[in-house]
Amino acid sequence: MTAGSVSASTVYRILKRNGLARELPQIIPAAKEYHRKTTRVNERWQTDLTELMLPDWGTHPLGSVVDDFSRFSIVFRRLRNSKGDTVQGADRAGNCRDRHGRSPAP
């Protein structure tokens, strides 16, 4: 007897038939536009974190902060790690300021 593979949909169908599976979550489509558009600089900032994989060096987390209105990159730097407190601490440490030295509006 040879081992074969079974598709995920077949497994789900069998589990559902026997009452052992929950309903699959429904996918909600993205909105066509933002509900709250920014009207001025520093009204809202966006943060992004990505990990750069370098052969023989490992992964290096890169963080960036972009002004939502002007799309100006305020910060782009390598972080110590990708933990939440490190990412959140980027703007608190005084590293995320606009050209006038202001933090974003809350």
Side-chain angles (χ1 to χ4, degrees), residues 25-39:
Q26 297 296 320
I27 297 174
I28 300 172
K32 295 186 186 216
E33 290 189 26
Y34 292 114
H35 295 287
R36 298 180 186 139
K37 294 183 181 181
T38 55
T39 57

Side-chain angles (χ1 to χ4, degrees), residues 2-85:
T2 60
S5 62
V6 179
S7 71
S9 61
T10 301
V11 172
Y12 175 73
R13 194 171 46 250
I14 293 169
L15 291 173
K16 185 177 177 186
R17 186 181 328 137
N18 293 305
L20 299 172
R22 291 186 270 171
E23 292 294 321
L24 291 174
Q26 297 296 320
I27 297 174
I28 300 172
K32 295 186 186 216
E33 290 189 26
Y34 292 114
H35 295 287
R36 298 180 186 139
K37 294 183 181 181
T38 55
T39 57
R40 58 186 168 84
V41 176
N42 287 331
E43 189 173 345
R44 182 182 308 141
W45 287 356
Q46 296 180 20
T47 304
D48 184 42
L49 176 70
T50 188
E51 289 195 353
L52 179 64
M53 178 63 174
L54 299 175
D56 300 327
W57 285 26
T59 59
H60 296 270
L62 302 172
S64 65
V65 178
V66 177
D67 180 66
D68 195 43
F69 182 77
S70 67
R71 307 306 301 160
F72 178 75
S73 179
I74 299 165
V75 170
F76 185 78
R77 69 180 204 161
R78 182 187 177 280
L79 303 172
R80 288 189 323 271
N81 56 43
S82 56
K83 294 182 180 176
D85 56 343

